[in-house]
Amino acid sequence: MKVEIWSDFVCPFCYIGKRRFEKALEQFEHKDKVEIVFRSFELDPHVERNPKKNVYEYLAEKYGMSLEQAKATTQQVGKQAEAVGLHYDFDNMKRTNTFDAHRLAHFANSEGKMEEMTERLMKAYFTEGLHIGDHEVLANLASEVGLDREKALDVLRNNGYADEVRRDEEIGRQLGITGVPFFLFNQKYAVFGAQSSDVFMDVLQKVWEEEQAQPSVINLNGKANSNRDDCADGSCSVSENNRG
């Protein structure tokens, strides 16, 4: 089973949704058969690397609310985060452009560290108040998950993996994704938003059962020949490894 997850590192519900999905996956009997692929999505691709407005000012301006209302909104989101074991420090979050962080994540993917890098970037932004648009900070985070710091810096300075980020975003556009988190199971079943772990468990089970179901076949000529691997009698068997 393949699960593709479109998310952004500064999306509060993406981190919450990630935790809820992980809880369901941990309880899923066949979790070792599930492949997780993280896809890039930029909530605000036009934001500057070092914007002057803080999180509260940004929300107030974007949604036409007062600063007090913006803070109240973040408090509600923070409670949802606490419920899944996360602490959001909105006072110290540093809004930034996430394109470089996504490029770093794709570099990490090339080294087999995509999941670790995704988790580290989210924690850095939401709980530690780190600037995940700064190349030095990103390189340090890469080192923490076992990546070569100098290689990471070279990728960041030379626009490495930009095409991979744009490719994910283009796939997202073709799928009609306008918000995140967005979970796609086997390129067939979609779950939008930070749904409950129960919802994710139901989808995991449904997709697994569908994968295991064998199609009903009516044999019209009375010959099964299920153990033959040649092409006699005008038919060729297919090995189990090629069934899909």
Side-chain angles (χ1 to χ4, degrees), residues 40 99 102-103 106 161-169:
S40 299
F99 183 65
H102 282 293
R103 292 195 297 111
H106 277 280
Y161 295 90
D163 289 344
E164 285 77 0
V165 176
R166 296 306 185 208
R167 187 176 302 118
D168 279 356
E169 293 176 337

Side-chain angles (χ1 to χ4, degrees), residues 140-157:
N140 289 339
L141 296 176
S143 178
E144 289 182 23
V145 301
L147 298 173
D148 185 278
R149 188 180 189 281
E150 293 306 313
K151 286 178 66 175
L153 266 179
D154 183 65
V155 166
L156 293 166
R157 290 169 176 168

Side-chain angles (χ1 to χ4, degrees), residues 24-55:
L25 185 62
E26 183 61 30
Q27 299 171 343
F28 184 53
E29 182 180 1
H30 311 287
K31 61 183 178 181
D32 58 323
K33 303 295 184 182
V34 179
E35 175 191 2
I36 308 298
V37 179
F38 288 96
R39 301 290 190 191
S40 299
F41 186 98
E42 295 175 87
L43 278 175
D44 190 351
H46 303 296
V47 69
E48 299 175 359
R49 182 177 295 179
N50 298 293
K52 296 180 175 60
K53 293 183 176 67
N54 61 31
V55 170

